[in-house]
Amino acid sequence: SIYTPLLLVIFFAQLGNTVLVPVLPFMVTQMGADPIYYGLLQSAYWLVELLSAPILGSLSDRVGRRAIIFWSLVVSSFSHAVLALSPGIKTMFLARVLSGFGFQIALCRAYFAETGAAHSRASSFGL
């Protein structure tokens, strides 16, 4: 299938988040921060992702989905590395904010919808 490479990208991007979420509370407490910072870190990520999705969507309309998906993966990878090497809670916040600008599954759904056959377009959103 022509979608196999993109499905693998989605798999590994989501795997990164799946591994990160259970470990993040331990990272926060290991930094000596109050556990509430875990919630704040997650909220920062989701807020930035919410705000950046329309911007990245619009940009991908103009520049092309593949390019934006690629660069969003680069940002995601970099932000996960920054998070892993964070010396303190402020750097962790920076990493989570950067991560919010990272991988957007909505871009992949749009790509699938655009490249799929017209009669099966709706099923592309079932990812």
Side-chain angles (χ1 to χ4, degrees):
S1 167
I2 64 168
Y3 298 129
T4 302
L6 197 51
L7 288 172
L8 287 171
V9 165
I10 292 169
F11 173 76
F12 285 114
Q14 296 303 337
L15 182 66
N17 281 329
T18 302
V19 169
L20 177 67
V21 170
V23 173
L24 196 55
F26 298 106
M27 291 175 67
V28 168
T29 55
Q30 190 176 37
M31 296 287 172
D34 193 89
I36 196 161
Y37 282 99
Y38 168 71
L40 294 173
L41 286 169
Q42 288 297 82
S43 296
Y45 168 76
W46 290 112
L47 179 65
V48 173
E49 186 171 279
L50 173 74
L51 297 174
S52 67
I55 296 166
L56 289 174
S58 176
L59 190 60
S60 74
D61 287 341
R62 286 183 274 134
V63 176
R65 303 236 190 272
R66 290 173 132 188
I68 300 303
I69 289 170
F70 172 78
W71 285 108
S72 70
L73 285 168
V74 169
V75 169
S76 261
S77 300
F78 176 74
S79 65
H80 282 92
V82 169
L83 183 66
L85 301 171
S86 292
I89 199 75
K90 289 179 183 177
T91 312
M92 291 176 81
F93 269 107
L94 173 67
R96 290 308 280 164
V97 166
L98 281 174
S99 190
F101 286 108
F103 181 69
Q104 299 273 341
I105 198 164
L107 295 173
C108 294
R109 288 184 176 144
Y111 180 80
F112 288 152
E114 288 176 348
T115 57
H119 67 277
S120 63
R121 188 165 289 149
S123 66
S124 298
F125 292 96
L127 270 180

